[in-house]
Amino acid sequence: FRFKESLAEDLGKADLVISHAGAGSCLEILEKGKPLIVVINEKLMNNHQLELAKRLHRGGHALWCNCSTLVETLQSMDLSTLKPFLPGQPEKFALFLDKVFGFQ
């Protein structure tokens, strides 16, 4: 499909998601607990997608490749090595800021 209002239903059914390296897309997929292969576009804005993909990979949360290495990645992947992505806890940061600025 070219465009869809929401991918939530599709993500719920997926066993594996192959996505571009947009931060919103990656976080949505990982928060749903789905294995993720991030395919970077090396031509975009100083290759910022590579930074995100490498960071997620270093944390053990995703695999990454580029378009030319996707088939190789699919053939050699071991999804059992991926770790769950734990969502942030913004309420703790808010409490910290409240304390620092004396709002408590």
Side-chain angles (χ1 to χ4, degrees):
F1 46 82
R2 288 177 53 95
F3 177 78
K4 208 170 192 181
E5 288 292 327
S6 173
L7 296 175
E9 185 179 338
D10 298 293
L11 290 177
K13 296 176 184 176
D15 294 321
L16 170 69
V17 179
I18 300 170
S19 175
H20 75 121
S25 297
C26 290
L27 291 176
E28 181 179 6
I29 294 159
L30 292 172
E31 286 174 355
K32 297 235 184 283
K34 300 299 177 171
L36 173 63
I37 297 177
V38 178
V39 180
I40 61 166
N41 181 343
E42 299 166 306
K43 297 177 185 176
L44 290 180
M45 292 188 277
N46 299 323
N47 209 6
H48 69 283
Q49 290 188 356
L50 180 59
E51 293 175 41
L52 175 60
K54 281 186 173 181
R55 180 68 179 185
L56 292 173
H57 181 73
R58 274 196 309 268
H61 306 297
L63 303 174
W64 72 274
C65 62
N66 58 36
C67 289
S68 64
T69 60
L70 177 58
V71 172
E72 178 184 332
T73 300
L74 289 167
Q75 291 171 338
S76 65
M77 69 183 181
D78 180 359
L79 299 179
S80 70
T81 64
L82 296 179
K83 300 175 187 173
F85 181 80
L86 302 176
Q89 296 178 321
E91 62 280 352
K92 286 187 177 181
F93 183 65
L95 289 173
F96 169 75
L97 288 179
D98 286 347
K99 185 176 180 181
V100 167
F101 290 107
F103 296 128
Q104 285 184 329

